[in-house]
Amino acid sequence: SDVCSSDLVGEVRRVFAEKWKDLDLDTEGLEIQTAVDVNADMIALRALRKGLREVDKRRGWRGPSGQLREGEYRAKYGTVDLSDGEPHAAFVKSVSKGIARVLVGTTELSLDLNEAGWAKKFLLKDESVRFGSPTEVVRAGDVIEVVARERADGQVERDSKTSVRIALDQTPDIEGALVLIDPFSGEVRSMIGGYDYTQSQFNRVTQSLR
């Protein structure tokens, strides 16, 4: 397939390099066909990411990732596409009565911290937990993570035609993997080796020991 997960592509390249050391996959015009199901691969990636985020939230909120000046945030993050369903860094401009005004990329939005019930459980650095409210923690200048709310049909929730509704979120610090194999043929239809291949190329399907 021309389009599949980076984990599977990386594994195909690794196996190819081991078996055919004298051939160069990048320069010799070679074509590799795999049994990957592109649609299943995309669904598997979304499912793994969603599942890891849900488990990570049950462990507790780790709080703001740090503090920046507004100009530093704008220079670092630029434009952000909230429609991808992933958590994104947001800059807190102000907080009043539990409502934070935040920058997500170049867009200013409102975030109701009172709605983040899961974040009342704080996961501390020593893995212990304490309970409180994110409204007691979040301050102007903080960098937090938010995600676009989704409707039942999977579309982004909006207050109006232009204002995206957002919720407090966080990128998980736990990992997982998923492999989908056809039980009749043994063909690999999907392989997801971790939450984000760009952050970690370690393939937990083929490289981790269990």
Side-chain angles (χ1 to χ4, degrees), residues 4-210:
C4 57
S5 72
S6 297
D7 299 292
L8 194 142
V9 170
E11 184 64 12
V12 168
R13 293 180 69 90
R14 184 188 66 79
V15 172
F16 183 92
E18 286 181 358
K19 290 190 174 184
W20 296 283
K21 294 181 173 61
D22 297 331
L23 296 178
D24 190 323
L25 189 55
D26 295 311
T27 62
E28 299 197 31
L30 301 171
E31 180 180 299
I32 296 178
Q33 294 185 354
T34 72
V36 68
D37 181 322
V38 175
N39 290 330
D41 201 56
M42 293 303 297
I43 292 169
L45 178 59
R46 287 196 297 268
L48 178 66
R49 287 184 172 179
K50 181 180 179 182
L52 287 173
R53 292 217 309 270
E54 288 175 354
V55 172
D56 190 67
K57 283 182 180 179
R58 290 200 290 271
R59 297 177 69 228
W61 184 45
R62 297 187 297 277
S65 61
Q67 277 219 331
L68 290 174
R69 289 191 290 270
E70 185 175 331
E72 292 173 329
Y73 170 83
R74 288 179 181 273
K76 183 174 182 179
Y77 292 101
T79 304
V80 169
D81 180 12
L82 278 167
S83 66
D84 63 5
E86 294 295 322
H88 290 281
F91 174 81
V92 180
K93 297 191 71 172
S94 64
V95 184
S96 177
K97 297 180 180 179
I99 306 299
R101 291 297 294 175
V102 301
L103 273 181
V104 188
T106 57
T107 305
E108 187 170 328
L109 298 168
S110 289
L111 170 66
D112 190 345
L113 295 168
N114 298 299
E115 294 180 347
W118 67 273
K120 292 181 178 179
K121 179 181 179 182
F122 291 92
L123 181 65
L124 305 178
K125 289 183 178 179
D126 63 0
E127 296 293 310
S128 64
V129 298
R130 69 175 178 84
F131 292 87
S133 170
T135 60
E136 301 166 359
V137 176
V138 177
R139 297 289 181 267
D142 282 344
V143 177
I144 58 178
E145 285 190 289
V146 299
V147 68
R149 292 181 177 275
E150 288 187 355
R151 303 186 319 218
D153 62 2
Q155 297 299 307
V156 171
E157 224 178 275
R158 297 179 184 273
D159 289 325
S160 64
K161 289 183 178 180
T162 57
S163 185
V164 177
R165 293 195 66 203
I166 55 175
L168 187 66
D169 211 304
Q170 66 184 5
T171 300
D173 67 354
I174 57 174
E175 275 289 1
L178 186 153
V179 61
L180 178 63
I181 299 175
D182 187 322
F184 300 102
S185 67
E187 293 175 327
V188 176
R189 299 299 188 189
S190 173
M191 179 189 295
I192 312 296
Y195 182 83
D196 187 346
Y197 185 82
T198 64
Q199 298 300 315
S200 170
Q201 287 76 53
F202 182 75
N203 190 329
R204 290 156 189 84
V205 173
T206 60
Q207 295 176 288
S208 62
L209 296 176
R210 288 177 293 278

